[in-house]
Amino acid sequence: MKWRNSKEHYGLLSMWLHWGVLALLIAVYACMELREFFPKGSVEREALKTLHYMLGLSVLILVWPRLLLTLSGPTPGIVPAPPNWQRVAARWMKVALYALMICMPLAGWLILSAAGKPIPLFGLQLPALIDQGKDAANVLKEIHEAGATLGYFLIGLHAAAALFHHYVMRDNTLTRMWIKR
């Protein structure tokens, strides 16, 4: 198995980044959903929120090598080739997912900045991106929450499309992202 993409298959680096970012996104969402089980201000709830921040920023860090690989290397072709409308839909889905992986962590960083809270990243404290302002923090939080809801939809649709291609269309869409035996 090669590290770089080929015209037939994604490379190990692309696969690692794809599935690794998915695992991070699952953890990011889980942290925010699980925090609801703990009372406001509790150590457990605050720990989950902090972990959410750090994992979200980790997505922001890993999205850039993913994007660079996507833009610089070949993209394995789908066999048999899908209709043009599916290729266009897939391209827009990819754009939407990259926007999610960039904009959501940035929005979280901006929320913490505007709220005057620390921006933790595994032992580091990142600088604030904007000045404190409660109104800005509230607006950004609403946008972030709406984006999170949209993220559930986008990620779910992406997974459903991959499964549709694998089980109904019986093409190689999904297997291009699996390790070859």
Side-chain angles (χ1 to χ4, degrees):
M1 189 85 219
K2 295 180 181 177
W3 283 95
R4 300 279 299 177
N5 297 350
S6 70
K7 291 186 179 187
E8 295 79 36
H9 204 267
Y10 284 102
L12 284 174
L13 188 54
S14 289
M15 284 188 268
W16 182 85
L17 287 168
H18 178 272
W19 297 112
V21 168
L22 174 62
L24 282 173
L25 288 170
I26 290 168
V28 164
Y29 277 95
C31 286
M32 289 318 285
E33 296 298 337
L34 292 173
R35 77 184 163 100
E36 297 298 326
F37 290 105
F38 300 99
K40 288 187 178 184
S42 69
V43 171
E44 296 86 358
R45 186 179 180 111
E46 293 305 312
L48 285 168
K49 285 169 53 177
T50 299
L51 187 57
H52 171 81
Y53 307 149
M54 293 189 298
L55 294 172
L57 289 168
S58 297
V59 169
L60 182 63
I61 291 166
L62 289 179
V63 73
W64 300 108
R66 266 194 83 172
L67 189 57
L68 182 63
L69 276 173
T70 297
L71 296 174
S72 68
T75 299
I78 298 173
V79 178
N84 191 49
W85 72 267
Q86 286 182 3
R87 285 194 298 273
V88 170
R91 190 172 305 121
W92 280 107
M93 175 59 78
K94 194 177 236 183
V95 168
L97 287 168
Y98 275 107
L100 177 81
M101 292 183 286
I102 293 168
C103 295
M104 290 299 290
L106 280 175
W109 191 346
L110 288 167
I111 291 164
L112 292 174
S113 299
K117 294 182 179 176
I119 299 103
L121 182 62
F122 301 105
L124 301 173
Q125 290 295 328
L126 300 179
L129 295 178
I130 58 175
D131 292 333
Q132 273 186 252
K134 187 175 180 177
D135 291 339
N138 289 336
V139 169
L140 288 164
K141 186 176 179 188
E142 287 182 31
I143 292 168
H144 189 68
E145 288 173 357
T149 301
L150 178 62
Y152 275 121
F153 173 75
L154 292 174
I155 294 165
L157 188 57
H158 179 68
L163 293 172
F164 174 79
H165 276 273
H166 187 71
Y167 290 108
V168 177
M169 301 299 293
R170 299 205 178 273
D171 61 26
N172 70 336
T173 296
L174 186 57
T175 58
R176 297 174 308 156
M177 192 51 78
W178 287 347
I179 294 176
K180 282 181 164 181
R181 294 181 189 188

